Amino acid sequence: GPERENIQSAIAEGKVGEQVMLAGTQTNVDEWLARWGVFASSSIREGQPVALLEAMAAGLPCVVTGVGGVPDTLANGVEGIIVPAESPEALADGIERCLSDARLRATLGKAARDRIIRDFSIDTLATTCREVYVSATGSTAA
């Protein structure tokens, strides 16, 4: 986006070009997620973050800020790690915690995937939508 040049300058100044890649827009999300050990999001505002749902479905441990719908989507300490927004130190600590503990990564990743299957599958969402419709209208007609 519009910050690309600034980010590229920061990467060059920090001499971290070997560790950082700006991939640009990607359509092959599953392939990219499969390359990662941890999903992190530093959002300061969110609704229901689709990227988080995709990472959870991929079985990735997630370190995310507790904004918008995130706390309703991911149980802190069970399915991922939620940190305060606008705290790069807390985000870095959460990422480091996951990267340094293979058992934690596996446990959080599995729990996140299980949560997606249980609460966000097409069947679950269709059933919930139908229940809301029936409750709102009193009709059971499909």
Side-chain angles (χ1 to χ4, degrees):
E3 290 297 316
R4 186 175 185 95
E5 285 185 31
N6 292 334
I7 294 169
Q8 286 174 317
S9 294
I11 291 168
E13 288 173 22
K15 297 182 171 97
V16 293
E18 296 281 323
Q19 293 86 21
V20 177
M21 174 180 35
L22 301 179
T25 301
Q26 298 294 317
T27 57
N28 52 342
V29 174
D30 292 339
E31 291 174 29
W32 280 93
L33 290 175
R35 297 176 183 189
W36 300 349
V38 175
F39 173 83
S41 174
S42 60
S43 294
I44 58 173
R45 283 184 296 281
E46 280 289 356
Q48 176 66 54
V50 174
L52 174 58
L53 296 172
E54 291 172 331
M56 291 172 70
L60 286 171
C62 300
V63 181
V64 294
T65 51
V67 297
V70 169
D72 296 326
T73 305
L74 182 109
N76 188 30
V78 177
E79 299 154 352
I81 298 172
I82 298 177
V83 300
E86 300 187 71
S87 176
E89 297 83 8
L91 187 68
D93 288 347
I95 293 168
E96 177 59 32
R97 189 172 155 212
C98 282
L99 290 175
S100 65
D101 187 338
R103 177 177 279 162
L104 177 65
R105 281 194 315 275
T107 300
L108 294 177
K110 181 182 182 326
R113 179 156 171 73
D114 290 348
R115 172 77 186 272
I116 289 294
I117 292 167
R118 182 183 69 243
D119 293 347
F120 294 96
S121 70
I122 294 295
D123 290 340
T124 299
L125 293 176
T127 299
T128 302
C129 185
R130 186 175 194 290
E131 289 170 357
V132 169
Y133 173 81
V134 168
S135 174
T137 65
S139 172
T140 59

